[in-house]
Amino acid sequence: MTFLQKLLFLLITTILFSCKKDVPIVIEDNTTKTEHVIIIVMDGARYSETWGDNSHQYIPKLASYIKPKGISCDNFYNNGFTWTSPGHLAMVSGQYYNLNNGGNELPPFPTIFQYFNKTFPNKKSWLITSKDKLEVLTNTSDTIYFNQFLANTDCGINGLGTGYREDSITFHNAINILSNNNPNLALINFKQPDAIGHTNDWAGYLNQISIVDDYIYQLFNLIETHPFYKDKTTVFITNDHGRHDNNNGGFQNHGDSCEGCRHLMFFAYGPDFYENTVISTRYELIDIPTTIASLLKFNLPNSKGVVMKDLYKPVH
Ligand SMILES: [Zn+2]
Ligand SMILES: [Zn+2]
């Protein structure tokens, strides 16, 4: 090769490698203001009944009170497995993996909870969920991380294997834990839209979306006003999966790759993000943990997601 050819080769390889998506993300951004992150999941609500419905009749509080305070994305997807456990795993690990959906398998890799706790041993992370099976998200079968750096959990009736509980209990516990334990990182899961959807009760499913809308509103109020959280907390509101659209079996079930199962609601709020803005950038579930790692400044190895740069206000 001539010198010029060598130079060209070097240039092309450098560009190719810098575009590679799965390099570990090392965060050197010290300009962000976020100190705490809360993810709130409305389990199994379909986009067509949330942001995709222009009347927003089932999410009145999200639409009128919360939406102007942050940024929504109308092009946000679960591009992996549209079941509860794999959906939540994608959202806290940056990887799509078909995790057993019954709570019988630990993720083969750590999630943001373990990486966060390892990086910040004096900070607190919490998993607060109506579904007990989600407790597996705080641990891993990876031999180095197994039983290490565990998050605090408040899952199901009394932890893994004890069954689901009502969202009203999860809401009550979440308010108490945020107020008194001050988690720096937390995920809160409300199961009821999914649970009632599975019973094929259309009116009940819609009603549960509105009930969770109110729970989110009250949690949001706490985060906006509590001295520990005010002005330094980022909130993500999303779904683990949608439900079949009407061309693919309808709202009762979910689990395939149809538009209804994949298209999710996405809203984010925080001191680093735009307000009163809607974007259409194509983002996906695995981008949430990657963005969280960037905001909270810890390393998230093997994430396939990207930092959602279009959410960020310019830094002055
Ligand atoms: Zn689910
Ligand atoms: Zn489907």
Side-chain angles (χ1 to χ4, degrees):
M1 285 199 284
T2 65
F3 175 73
L4 212 66
Q5 282 173 320
K6 277 183 190 165
L7 197 70
L8 197 66
F9 176 77
L10 196 70
L11 197 70
I12 290 169
T13 8
T14 312
I15 290 169
L16 280 177
F17 272 94
S18 62
C19 293
K20 202 165 169 282
K21 243 186 147 187
D22 60 351
V23 289
I25 294 156
V26 180
I27 304 306
E28 292 165 357
D29 180 359
N30 288 316
T31 59
T32 51
K33 296 177 184 145
T34 296
E35 293 178 28
H36 319 302
V37 173
I38 313 287
I39 310 171
I40 307 175
V41 184
M42 186 189 283
D43 200 312
R46 206 164 53 167
Y47 186 72
S48 49
E49 285 79 63
T50 57
W51 294 126
D53 166 23
N54 286 331
S55 78
H56 301 140
Q57 58 186 309
Y58 312 118
I59 52 164
K61 289 178 177 167
L62 266 166
S64 63
Y65 182 78
I66 297 180
K67 190 177 184 228
K69 302 194 170 189
I71 179 162
S72 320
C73 174
D74 61 13
N75 199 11
F76 188 78
Y77 282 80
N78 174 342
N79 288 324
F81 305 91
T82 56
W83 302 99
T84 295
S85 297
H88 282 81
L89 178 60
M91 166 189 335
V92 294
S93 71
Q95 300 180 59
Y96 291 120
Y97 171 79
N98 196 9
L99 185 70
N100 174 282
N101 198 35
N104 298 315
E105 180 190 5
L106 291 177
F109 40 79
T111 68
I112 51 172
F113 294 108
Q114 286 178 295
Y115 288 122
F116 177 80
N117 292 339
K118 184 186 179 191
T119 310
F120 305 109
N122 297 321
K123 293 190 177 181
K124 289 172 278 185
S125 66
W126 275 85
L127 183 67
I128 306 159
T129 63
S130 294
K131 294 184 169 179
D132 61 311
K133 67 184 181 183
L134 292 174
E135 195 173 278
V136 299
L137 299 176
T138 59
N139 206 346
T140 176
S141 56
D142 178 291
T143 49
I144 294 168
Y145 279 81
F146 177 69
N147 280 347
Q148 305 275 334
F149 316 114
L150 300 178
N152 300 286
T153 58
D154 176 59
C155 302
I157 292 173
N158 192 21
L160 187 61
T162 61
Y164 293 179
R165 71 182 177 206
E166 293 304 312
D167 283 346
S168 55
I169 299 169
T170 299
F171 169 66
H172 178 259
N173 291 6
I175 291 281
N176 274 341
I177 291 166
L178 292 190
S179 305
N180 303 318
N181 300 79
N182 300 151
N184 307 91
L185 172 66
L187 183 146
I188 302 163
N189 156 275
F190 293 112
K191 75 168 171 73
Q192 211 66 356
D194 181 66
I196 302 302
H198 282 302
T199 68
N200 207 21
D201 173 358
W202 176 245
Y205 159 69
L206 297 176
N207 185 42
Q208 291 301 330
I209 291 175
S210 298
I211 290 172
V212 175
D213 177 63
D214 182 58
Y215 290 155
I216 294 172
Y217 168 71
Q218 294 188 53
L219 284 165
F220 194 86
N221 272 341
L222 187 152
I223 292 162
E224 260 196 312
T225 53
H226 193 288
F228 184 78
Y229 291 111
K230 188 177 181 318
D231 299 330
K232 49 195 169 190
T233 303
T234 290
V235 180
F236 294 93
I237 302 170
T238 189
N239 318 110
D240 49 347
H241 53 79
R243 322 191 69 74
H244 297 317
D245 52 56
N246 295 339
N247 296 326
N248 289 280
F251 80 103
Q252 185 176 6
N253 292 308
H254 59 87
D256 62 11
S257 59
C258 79
E259 173 74 9
C261 286
R262 289 216 183 286
H263 200 168
L264 309 180
M265 70 157 140
F266 177 89
F267 172 84
Y269 156 91
D272 301 300
F273 293 164
Y274 283 106
E275 294 166 18
N276 202 16
T277 302
V278 180
I279 54 167
S280 298
T281 314
R282 178 86 179 204
Y283 283 130
E284 55 182 304
L285 220 39
I286 55 174
D287 299 332
I288 290 180
T290 315
T291 305
I292 291 173
S294 170
L295 286 168
L296 295 180
K297 304 173 180 69
F298 64 93
N299 199 5
L300 182 62
N302 302 312
S303 168
K304 303 293 189 289
V306 298
V307 175
M308 303 171 77
K309 284 288 181 195
D310 291 359
L311 305 178
Y312 290 65
K313 288 189 285 204
V315 180
H316 298 292

